[in-house]
Amino acid sequence: MSLRIVFMGTPDFAVPCLERIIADGHTVCGIFCQPDRPKGRGMSLLPPPGKQAALSKNIPVYQPTKLRDGEALGILRELAPDLIVVVAYGRILPIEILELPRLGCVNVHASLLPRWRGAAPVQWSLIRGDTITGVTTMYMAEGLDTGDIILASQTEIAPQETYGQLLARLSQMGAELLAETLPLLETGRPPRTPQDDSLATIAPPIHKDMGQLDFSATPQDFCNLVRGLNPNPGASARFGEGMLKVHAALPASDFSGQPGEILHHKRLIVGCGQGAVELLSVQPQGKKPMDGAAWRNGLRGLADSEKFG
């Protein structure tokens, strides 16, 4: 038995789920994703990955700017899906859409709910130093990621894993978990576990200004922020009149000094709150990423008072 599915997903994270739905023999009758956005130096309009994947498979694409004006609801009524699958779509579905499919709306979320409800669960799990995360399939409700859990799958976070690396892993895990979830919906016997709201944490959107590194933070908090913002929006530290992007950092347990003070004549070890960090990979403005030690060795005649801001 195959299901008739409308898929709602915009970024790269959503594409493996879409591909798995198709590979498992279900009919995707339409795809909803965010409108094309201007990107690159030329700011030309580029289609999001969800749209690109749909077009490559000749699936109709819909990119409404609103979901509450009745237009999207009319399209969905014509498509008549058994189920709507939502994976990082980026919009809140109104109740009339949630109630439309006979099997409801199911979401693939990149955390172990109720931890990290919201827009940026992967980044916040790293920023807050979590050692375990995962993916969850759930029935969608009107609240922010508050619906009943169907299935969950967990994984350990590697000590130096970045946002980009973890996101890629979780996207594949999400596709596998969705493949386990859909047959349960077909048979009408899916698990349904209410979330414990007392354990909920919120993952609000990430903003570019969060990437300004603070050397008064503890070494681990500093490194967690670097990991959580790599590759985007990225973390940067002020040095002199410019900014230096930081792509990788580790606590330097054998060193300590004033926040922002460079502590080694060859390695890029910098004082931090309650210790120090070593900046392993950096990128000066207008240049390519480079080894932190190489950047440090390129500083000639460094004044004793010159340090990171």
Side-chain angles (χ1 to χ4, degrees):
M1 178 181 175
S2 68
L3 294 172
R4 183 174 174 84
I5 294 173
V6 164
F7 185 83
M8 296 184 174
T10 300
D12 285 317
F13 180 82
V15 174
C17 285
L18 172 62
E19 292 175 341
R20 185 57 187 264
I21 290 171
I22 296 169
D24 287 350
H26 301 288
T27 299
V28 179
C29 53
I31 292 181
F32 281 60
C33 58
Q34 295 274 9
D36 298 358
R37 305 289 187 197
K39 290 186 179 181
R41 292 186 177 181
M43 297 301 285
S44 57
L45 287 176
L46 293 178
K51 179 179 180 178
Q52 295 178 45
L55 294 177
S56 71
K57 301 179 186 302
N58 297 314
I59 301 172
V61 177
Y62 305 92
Q63 296 175 277
T65 57
K66 298 179 181 179
L67 294 180
R68 299 181 183 276
D69 60 2
E71 181 180 353
L73 181 62
I75 293 169
L76 288 166
R77 282 174 173 160
E78 289 185 11
L79 293 174
D82 299 314
L83 176 73
I84 294 176
V85 173
V86 180
V87 187
Y89 176 38
R91 293 190 183 278
I92 296 175
L93 274 57
I95 187 64
E96 58 266 24
I97 290 180
L98 293 175
E99 294 178 345
L100 176 67
R102 67 178 182 86
L103 295 178
C105 299
V106 168
N107 177 240
V108 179
H109 187 76
S111 78
L112 296 175
L113 290 170
R115 187 161 180 81
W116 302 129
R117 296 172 175 172
V122 181
Q123 286 155 306
W124 282 105
S125 68
L126 293 169
I127 292 169
R128 291 293 183 249
D130 290 357
T131 58
I132 293 175
T133 188
V135 288
T136 304
T137 53
M138 66 168 187
Y139 285 104
M140 295 183 69
E142 287 190 272
L144 179 65
D145 298 323
T146 57
D148 293 346
I149 293 170
I150 304 172
L151 296 175
S153 177
Q154 75 174 36
T155 184
E156 292 186 2
I157 301 175
Q160 300 308 313
E161 198 163 18
T162 66
Y163 163 55
Q165 293 165 343
L166 182 56
L167 187 72
R169 283 208 300 121
L170 293 179
S171 70
Q172 298 298 326
M173 288 181 60
E176 293 297 324
L177 194 67
L178 183 61
E180 294 178 36
T181 301
L182 293 182
L184 297 174
L185 295 169
E186 288 180 273
T187 60
R189 295 190 297 274
R192 190 161 192 150
T193 305
Q195 295 186 41
D196 184 346
D197 292 340
S198 69
L199 300 177
T201 57
I202 303 301
I206 298 292
H207 300 290
K208 188 175 182 179
D209 58 6
M210 291 175 58
Q212 175 67 54
L213 290 166
D214 178 7
F215 284 91
S216 67
T218 67
Q220 193 60 62
D221 286 348
F222 182 101
C223 295
N224 287 342
L225 184 62
V226 171
R227 294 166 60 211
L229 301 184
N230 180 352
N232 59 281
S236 299
R238 181 170 295 281
F239 187 82
E241 297 300 317
M243 299 295 292
L244 185 72
K245 287 185 178 180
V246 180
H247 297 299
L250 278 176
S253 56
D254 295 334
F255 297 85
S256 63
Q258 293 299 313
E261 178 186 5
I262 296 178
L263 303 175
H264 199 278
H265 66 288
K266 289 187 177 181
R267 295 158 61 191
L268 188 50
I269 297 175
V270 186
C272 212
Q274 304 175 29
V277 292
E278 181 167 9
L279 310 186
L280 300 173
S281 176
V282 298
Q283 184 175 0
Q285 287 179 294
K287 297 184 179 181
K288 295 181 179 180
M290 62 189 299
D291 183 79
W295 183 86
R296 171 66 182 92
N297 291 333
L299 297 176
R300 302 301 181 189
L302 177 67
D304 290 340
S305 61
E306 196 161 9
K307 64 180 187 178
F308 286 93

